[in-house]
Amino acid sequence: MKRVRLFDKEFEISIPYAELHSAIKEMAAKMITDLEGKQTLFICILNGAFMFASELMKEVELPDAEISFLKLASYCGTSSTGDVKELIGLNEEIKGRTVVILEDIVDTGHTMKGVKAQLIEKGAKEVKIATLLFKPDALKVELTLDYIGIVIPNDFIVGFGLDYDRRGRNFKDIYTLVKG
Ligand code: IMP
Ligand code: MG
């Protein structure tokens, strides 16, 4: 499928699966080197990162790795960093652990900044961020991204876990909104 229509919008293929797959394999190789022996807890941010996490974790051959899943809910209230998102479903003990957050995309960076701060507050020894996609032109906060799959322009995309109004998450490739 080269083009796809979701509701009122037209999308066109921009990152084929093969490209996503090789970026993920490369990231996994770096993680194996960096995280060997650390009993790392990987945390997949639902819903968007489910495909990325599944693909990545099959390549991260670390026998002492663990994976958990977190959903974020908008929190009533604001802070200086914008929306504070509540972490739902985190049952693991975080204290003293090396944690790697698995995120689909970093846009303004507010979400990742908030999640990282909360994990540090819960006592994590170190918190790293791994994002499949990064839009540097949209970044609005200071944020260190430890692992980046593919850098993309500031356009709206769907596929490989990312949605437009809940559609498109199941697409194997990534599609970009056709403007105009
Ligand atoms: P941030 O807090 O602005 O960095 O937002 C990150 C979140 O916005 C991601 O986890 C996505 O859920 C969503 N998002 C950002 N850009 C896109 C996009 O192009 N397509 C679909 N979702 C996006
Ligand atoms: Mg997301």
Side-chain angles (χ1 to χ4, degrees):
M1 164 167 101
K2 286 256 172 280
R3 277 175 94 101
V4 61
R5 191 170 185 84
L6 299 175
F7 306 109
D8 55 328
K9 295 192 166 32
E10 191 80 17
F11 293 84
E12 172 172 79
I13 194 164
S14 54
I15 312 175
Y17 171 74
E19 208 177 307
L20 296 166
H21 185 70
S22 70
I24 290 170
K25 274 191 94 152
E26 216 175 287
M27 188 187 289
K30 282 198 203 101
M31 286 175 168
I32 292 170
T33 310
D34 294 352
L35 302 168
E36 211 183 341
K38 287 197 169 187
Q39 301 184 16
T40 304
L41 175 63
F42 291 85
I43 298 182
C44 166
I45 305 298
L46 297 173
N47 298 319
F50 84 99
M51 255 192 214
F52 165 49
S54 147
E55 196 90 4
L56 178 80
M57 293 312 295
K58 284 179 274 186
E59 307 289 342
V60 177
E61 291 181 329
L62 292 171
D64 57 4
E66 294 171 27
I67 181 156
S68 187
F69 303 86
L70 252 192
K71 222 171 156 104
L72 305 181
S74 292
Y75 190 78
C76 295
T78 49
S79 79
S80 54
T81 55
D83 291 348
V84 177
K85 303 249 173 78
E86 192 188 348
L87 313 186
I88 297 176
L90 191 65
N91 304 312
E92 280 75 11
E93 180 59 75
I94 298 296
K95 270 195 190 66
R97 300 204 62 176
T98 294
V99 176
V100 178
I101 306 169
L102 304 180
E103 174 66 314
D104 51 359
I105 187 165
V106 173
D107 191 53
T108 65
H110 281 125
T111 308
M112 278 305 96
K113 197 181 166 96
V115 172
K116 183 173 177 174
Q118 290 190 63
L119 292 171
I120 288 168
E121 204 175 290
K122 287 180 194 298
K125 185 169 78 184
E126 55 176 340
V127 178
K128 294 174 184 281
I129 298 173
T131 188
L132 175 62
L133 301 153
F134 176 41
K135 295 180 186 174
D137 296 340
L139 193 68
K140 292 219 166 66
V141 296
E142 216 175 286
L143 185 69
T144 303
L145 299 174
D146 302 276
Y147 302 97
I148 298 169
I150 300 173
V151 173
I152 61 166
N154 194 7
D155 297 320
F156 189 79
I157 58 164
V158 295
F160 207 75
L162 291 107
D163 72 308
Y164 167 53
D165 211 0
R166 295 185 296 276
R167 298 276 170 87
R169 285 198 203 280
N170 56 311
F171 300 164
K172 187 173 183 178
D173 309 293
I174 283 183
Y175 294 79
T176 297
L177 177 67
V178 178
K179 288 174 194 159

